[in-house]
Amino acid sequence: MTQPDISRFPVPAITDLPDDIRSRLLAVQEKSGFIPNVFLTLAFRPEEFRAFFAYHDALMEKDSGLSKAEREMIVVATSSANQCQYCVIAHGAILRIRAKNPLIADQIAANYRKADITPRQRAMLDFAMKVSQEAQLVSDADFAALAALGFSDDDIWDIAAISAFFGLSNRLANVSAMRPNDEFYLMGRLPKA
């Protein structure tokens, strides 16, 4: 069986990449056992790769009022609305692992309003979806509703920025026909042996 194409754009050989990007890909491979196709696809444009992952890491890896699982919930919900197969599958896997819940990603991708999440998380996703789909309608009332649930201004910024950033990511993934790695489909579904 041949390896399916992972992108409409050329995928550079790892050996041809700049040292910093090659090192990052190999570190990811060592940690996860494979290189997610997003890394390989975006390596086509090294400067943009660096900018993309710098902003990704700034949003997704910091400590704040949102847990890492909640950040992934935002990605899965908005990526589902944007019909981004790659991000729903890849970040769904990360969400299952970070939430330690094998059901949550599928629930959120199908309909977050019916998912087994807290009312606070539902409000977070309502706002993220508004930013994703109707940002021009965001109002002071949205901020007041989130503040009443304990979200700080920094948290609200994070929700909006994650939603907006993954709007960019979703569009690049869709245009490039980025294929999710097969490994993502089973991750976090069963307890580790």
Side-chain angles (χ1 to χ4, degrees):
M1 182 175 172
T2 62
Q3 174 66 22
D5 289 336
I6 64 168
S7 174
R8 286 187 172 113
F9 295 95
V11 176
I14 293 174
T15 55
D16 295 339
L17 293 172
D19 290 343
D20 62 317
I21 295 175
R22 183 175 50 256
S23 294
R24 179 159 186 166
L25 269 60
L26 294 174
V28 168
Q29 182 178 36
E30 185 171 326
K31 181 178 179 182
S32 65
F34 65 100
I35 300 173
N37 289 339
V38 66
F39 289 92
L40 297 168
T41 299
L42 296 181
F44 173 59
R45 307 279 295 258
E47 288 301 317
E48 293 167 35
F49 175 102
R50 292 178 185 105
F52 180 94
F53 283 106
Y55 196 39
H56 171 277
D57 295 351
L59 290 172
M60 300 301 287
E61 299 300 328
K62 69 181 179 180
D63 291 326
S64 77
L66 302 180
S67 71
K68 288 184 177 183
E70 287 171 334
R71 291 168 192 279
E72 295 298 338
M73 287 178 189
I74 295 167
V75 178
V76 172
T78 59
S79 296
S80 177
N82 290 328
Q83 299 182 44
C84 180
Q85 180 190 35
Y86 185 89
C87 291
V88 169
I89 300 302
H91 288 274
I94 298 167
L95 172 56
R96 288 190 297 272
I97 291 166
R98 291 195 167 162
K100 296 176 178 54
N101 180 337
L103 307 178
I104 194 68
D106 294 334
Q107 291 176 351
I108 288 175
N111 184 348
Y112 75 90
R113 291 171 191 90
K114 293 182 179 180
D116 295 327
I117 57 176
T118 68
R120 183 177 187 271
Q121 289 167 336
R122 189 165 290 109
M124 173 190 77
L125 294 179
D126 285 340
F127 182 68
M129 293 296 284
K130 191 170 191 178
V131 170
S132 175
Q133 305 296 302
E134 305 175 305
Q136 73 280 8
L137 300 179
V138 171
S139 70
D140 290 343
D142 296 306
F143 278 68
L146 291 168
L149 291 169
F151 289 102
S152 69
D153 284 345
D154 282 337
D155 297 335
I156 295 168
W157 180 284
D158 287 343
I159 297 166
I162 292 165
S163 178
F165 176 79
F166 278 92
L168 162 83
S169 181
N170 298 159
R171 284 155 181 81
L172 284 172
N174 280 329
V175 168
S176 68
M178 195 183 305
R179 179 185 169 85
N181 301 68
D182 291 347
E183 292 89 343
F184 283 128
Y185 288 92
L186 295 178
M187 289 172 59
R189 293 195 185 275
L190 299 171
K192 287 188 176 187

